[in-house]
Amino acid sequence: MKDMIEITVQKAAIEWLQDLGYTHKEGNALTRDLKKVVLEDDLRSFLVKTYPNVPATAINEAMAAFTQHLGMDTNHRNRDFHRKMTQGVSVTWKDAHGKEYAQHIYPINFAAPEKNNFICADEVTIIGKNTRRTDLLIFINGLPIIVFEFKNMFAQEVGVDNAHGQIGHYLLDIPQLWDYNALTIISDGREALHGMYNSSLKWFAPWKSLTGDTIESNKDLQLETLINGLFPKDILLSYLQNFIFHEDHNGKIIKKAAKYHQFWGVHEAVASAIKNIKPHGDGRLGVIWHTQGSGKSISMAILTGILRQLPEMKNPTIVIQVDRSDLDQQLYENFVLCKDLVGDVQHADTTDELRQLLSNDGGGVIFTTIEKFRLKDLEDGKEKEHPVLSERYNLIIMADEAHRTQYGFNDGGFAQNIRVALPNASFIGFTGTPVDGKGADTELVFGKTIHTYDIKQAVEDGATVPIYYEPKMVPLNINAKYADELDLVDEDEEESNHIVWAAIEDAAGATERVERVAADILEHFNARIQTLDGKAMIVCMSRRNCVKMYDALTALPGCPEIAVIMTSNISKDPTAWNTHVRTKENMEAIKKRFRTPDDPLKIVIVRDMWLTGFDAPCAHTMYVDKIMKGHNLMQAIARVNRVFEDKTNGLVVDFIGISGFLAEATKKYTGSGGEGKPTIDMDVAVAMCLAQFAEVKELMGNFDLEDFNKMKETEKLKWSNSLVNDLLQSDPVTDAFLLEERKLTELVAITNSDKRIWVIQEEVAIIQKIRDVIRKIKTPPGPQRIKNDRIKDLISKSIESQKIVDLAAMYDLDKIDISIIDDRFQAMVKEKGGENIKVELLRRIINDELKVRMVKNIRRMTSLKEELEKVLSKYHKNSLDSIAAIKHLLDIATEFKNDDIRTKQLGLTEDELAFYDLLSANEKIINQSGPIQDLVHKVVALVKKNLQLDWTKKEDARSAIRLAVKKELKGKVPFSELDNLLKEVLEQAEGQYKDWPMTG
């Protein structure tokens, strides 16, 4: 297993890339200035070959543009380069007669992948603020577009989080590399994630599909799927050109890129558009069904950008059409942020503006609500028919959340008006909710569903969090006939126009009921944020009920800051509602406050605003006191499925009785081909939690809480020490406990607002305290541990005063200087009790020390490592008891201390000791008149004198060291033994000085 190291993963990646036609080169074989990152000869060669008619002066101008970027920081320079890479630059020149010429030049030929030069180069040294060596770089025409950072697949203590952390260091040390970076890959072989160089780890994601048709379920080799799915040359160039963009948030640049489902969904949509756009096709381009919260607006922007560039579309006009003004504004703002992709966008605020924009012949992007395709009131009466605004074929209507309003083909219906106004337009629909419903013929309007990304897959990928459902019904005092009639009301029917809605609104808004619901909400919310900090939304039947709920909640003690979010009509609304009236600017300000996790505004009360097209990732709970159906219900509950920091789930708490409508929505969802339920029943979650609690307690010997509470503090100390010791008796026992406890903690975080869980809180707190001790001793690696640590522990106030000993703290594990293993620690370990814990502590310390010392003394540390493995093997096979194992481990630890003493006594430096051990082991064959230390000083000095960058990969550099040392040893070592000794010296030098000049 000696060769099973980080380089193994790196070499596998290179082989997969070579299979795709990439050329492999070693980093030290590249022709370049080590302070620069562009292979300038390669870039110039590509430009000259691609643009043969452009003179050298103009080529020099293009070279300067592609290698010098505007911006005071990396993010702005990266954006500047990305624009030049994807949009090209223009150069001009004059011939000998003064005639001026111009040429638009691209550094990459996106249309013909085979005409580009793809190089994958490993171990590329870059000199910046510090000298660093990247694992693998992808150069396209000499431009370092993609960075790979690998970690050892076979090392337990490292994972992709370590690779991500290293990228952060590279950003500081070699900033010039990141001006060009389009994509960053981090991998330990099994796990492989792609993302932007400056993104936090949570935004890195796997690539799970090779062609977009199926999901690759093999999680063991994500790197292979990522390379074979994203790195075929045509796919990669398409991704680089169309699926990466920068958002400008008032000067703060945020770089984003598509996930695999967005790439393949848009890929299919482009193909469908080319095939089906009028007049070649029937104008039905299809439906993209991507579940709420999975980045639908980004997909729409990317598709818009691609369609605008396609020569087949002949500068099209894209009309982004939505159902309501709040959706319109939200999506419009997202498109404005994606300006690099879509260009300038126009907003039709009135029907007249829309008609004027659509009457123009030029292309562009226009935002509108569907109701602006209305028939106008004229002086002599209403329009009989909508006027024809444009007969162009390159008009595409892109409908967001395309539902019932799209099917109004009756006289004067909006859908009919669009088709009269734009008779040759083509249509594509985006939806996050089921498209199947009564009276809705989706295929008739948009065509077939061309790509699906459902709830099940989104949750599995971590694109959204699961939503749980908790019924907390507070009965309505309502006539039974209204309840029966409710089922007959259309989900899109205007509530205020239906007598059933009025009756339910009155019943839901009864003062006594509102006060009861408010009290339940406050109790529930305060309990929920004990383990999962975040925010909540309350949905009420009407604006009047929203105000009533606000008044009832704010009258209760312990109520956090709350706001009512609703439209207002000051000519009709009661003056008492004036508190809730806001200008457009104030509404934007409060929206920003609610989205900000640390802002004291914790709860908003809404009727229909913010239930679609609004994202507040920190919102994790929705309290529903409004009847909702179908896609309206699905859209609303999706407000709490956004990914955010330690948020493991969203929760819908039902006070009015939507369970039947949820079931119906689920039936539509699965009937349309989607997998996964919109919500998971809280009863199921509670049952799972209680069962998991019982399983974990069994692993802990089924301790009794009553007996625990009767113990004295000293007894609790001994009991917890003994329990931790038992759970550390072997790796399988420890791993089983940590795994099952993690499941319990996640279930508790989901269910702790349910009173049925409260009875186990005290025991869960004890379990988690024991878990803390074991984790601190074991220190399991990787992002999963970080993620789980961020799930707040449920520790009730009743347990705060009860001490459960932190054994790691007791041993001052974090403060021990592992380079000296002092006598105090050794004496403590020799005391009786907790032997399994002590073996684990010693194993951890010795392993850490071996890693530090290994490169400085390969021979000796390899010997001690083998000794460590032998002791642990015997211990785990029960052929060595714990007392004997501890003694052996302490003996190994003492060797480190002795080495430090010996180094000082011999008058050597730390890195000379290894060469001393090597030469003294061969003392019998060495003819040395003085102390052997004198020879060691000379040998080490000669090695260091001949070091150069990447010397281990350069045979001439290795030969220079070998020759210098050979001259020194000649005459002192028999000729027959000289080669073997030189080999050992060179091996030690490689281990110790491999990363020169960063080491040594």
Side-chain angles (χ1 to χ4, degrees), residues 515-580:
E515 289 174 351
R516 179 180 165 187
V517 171
D520 282 356
I521 287 175
L522 189 57
E523 179 186 37
H524 187 280
F525 181 72
N526 286 335
R528 182 147 167 81
I529 61 175
Q530 290 301 308
T531 57
L532 190 65
D533 195 17
K535 301 195 176 188
M537 302 178 77
I538 303 171
V539 189
C540 295
M541 287 289 299
S542 65
R543 295 187 304 136
R544 185 178 303 279
N545 286 10
C546 287
V547 175
K548 285 182 176 180
M549 184 64 70
Y550 175 87
D551 293 340
L553 277 165
T554 53
L556 295 171
C559 181
E561 186 178 347
I562 298 179
V564 175
I565 307 299
M566 64 183 191
T567 56
S568 57
N569 185 335
I570 58 174
S571 63
K572 295 181 180 180
D573 293 346
T575 55
W577 293 10
N578 189 258
T579 307
H580 311 297

Side-chain angles (χ1 to χ4, degrees), residues 73 83 141 236 252 297 318 348 360 370 411 532 634 660 752 758 793 816 832 837 858 883 951:
D73 60 32
R83 284 174 167 172
N141 304 327
L236 181 63
K252 180 183 179 182
S297 61
I318 314 291
N360 295 333
I370 194 170
D411 291 343
L532 190 65
M634 296 280 280
N752 85 297
W758 295 357
D793 291 342
I816 290 173
K832 288 187 177 181
I837 298 169
I858 294 172
I883 301 296
W951 71 273

